[in-house]
Amino acid sequence: MSSMSNVVLVHGWSMHSGMWGPFVDTLGESHRVTCLDLPGHGHAPMVEEFNLRSISEVLLGAAPEKASWIGWSLGATIVMHLARYFPERVEGIALLAGNAKFVADDEWPSGMELSLLRRFGANLIEDNRGAVLRFLSLQAQGSPATKHQLKELRERLDSRSSPIESALLGGLDILEHADSRRALKNLQCPTLLLYGELDTLVPVAAGEAMKALCPKARLHVVKGAGHLPFYTHTEETASVVKAFLKAYRV
């Protein structure tokens, strides 16, 4: 259909675009969907330095000229960066389990403990593969993901090459230092904040705090979901995203 709008999906830390699974097919019923691998992940070649600037260049170079962007976890941080610095390329953004500031502090308690994040970096040096698998299991915590689903997620993860260590470390550096609160406060494009009720990595409180910064944003909480709402609650997540995308399309 020529009336279909463009939607670009950006995955999370240590994952790849194949992790979106059936969510892509459901979204593809009404939109032209582009799934991109971050540099050094999946099928994408590594860049000289894994940072928000270089990632933006790569993603924008592979994306349609104008699109709505959906970011999951680290992908949400990247999408907020794109909306701030390249607004002419962004029609709207949907942030799935995203956090304006991933690491908690006194002013922003709704984040991960810095020590836990840095532990992932230390574990990567010792055991790259093990650290990624542990993170995958951590994402499933609190959600209704069954042993079968976790096995399927691991199979999906293994369907492409393991991410390059420097890309993983670069991603952790972004998560540790990126602060999108000012960007979120000044966003002009339509924004959806979507969270899993039981997410242990990015709690619903983060979404509520982000909604306070960006009152025009729509906040939706998926009951019973964890950090993978698009996987464990595909139909609901896709339905909410589709309704959001439709709301600002002519």
Side-chain angles (χ1 to χ4, degrees), residues 2-8 30-32 60 63-70 79 82-84 86-94 187-192 244-250:
S2 59
S3 60
M4 283 187 172
S5 61
N6 293 308
V7 178
V8 181
S30 52
H31 298 83
R32 284 189 298 270
L60 291 172
E65 191 63 30
K66 193 84 170 179
S68 298
W69 291 73
I70 300 175
V79 165
L82 292 174
R84 179 181 185 182
F86 305 93
E88 71 283 356
R89 300 288 301 273
V90 179
E91 291 186 326
I93 61 173
L187 277 182
Q188 299 300 313
C189 66
T191 303
L192 171 66
F244 164 73
L245 295 172
K246 184 178 180 180
Y248 63 85
R249 293 293 302 173
V250 177

Side-chain angles (χ1 to χ4, degrees), residues 101-220:
K101 188 175 182 299
F102 205 79
V103 173
D105 60 23
D106 292 339
E107 294 182 356
W108 193 262
S110 304
M112 178 185 285
E113 290 185 14
L114 179 59
S115 59
L116 177 59
L117 187 69
R118 288 183 171 171
R119 201 177 307 149
F120 274 110
N123 290 340
L124 278 174
I125 304 300
E126 297 176 7
D127 180 8
N128 185 311
R129 165 78 174 164
V132 171
L133 287 178
R134 281 193 293 276
F135 183 66
L136 183 62
S137 297
L138 187 60
Q139 292 181 80
Q141 278 186 12
S143 76
T146 63
K147 288 183 178 180
H148 171 74
Q149 288 176 316
L150 190 55
K151 180 175 180 290
E152 184 180 90
L153 284 168
R154 286 177 177 169
E155 289 173 351
R156 284 189 178 278
L157 186 64
D158 290 341
S159 68
R160 301 185 187 178
S161 300
S162 297
I164 295 172
E165 185 176 288
S166 56
L168 292 173
L169 292 172
L172 290 177
D173 187 68
I174 291 173
L175 290 174
E176 179 175 340
H177 296 103
D179 187 343
S180 305
R181 287 177 292 183
R182 180 178 294 180
L184 191 64
K185 194 172 184 179
N186 296 319
L187 277 182
Q188 299 300 313
C189 66
T191 303
L192 171 66
L193 309 170
L194 189 144
Y195 296 83
E197 177 191 26
L198 306 177
D199 194 341
T200 58
L201 287 174
V202 181
V204 172
E208 294 169 343
M210 290 167 69
K211 168 74 172 173
L213 290 175
C214 186
K216 291 182 180 180
R218 179 183 176 188
L219 174 63
H220 182 86

Side-chain angles (χ1 to χ4, degrees), residues 22-45:
F23 178 71
V24 174
D25 299 326
T26 307
L27 206 58
E29 294 170 0
S30 52
H31 298 83
R32 284 189 298 270
V33 181
T34 301
C35 296
L36 299 178
D37 286 324
L38 294 177
H41 296 68
H43 298 314

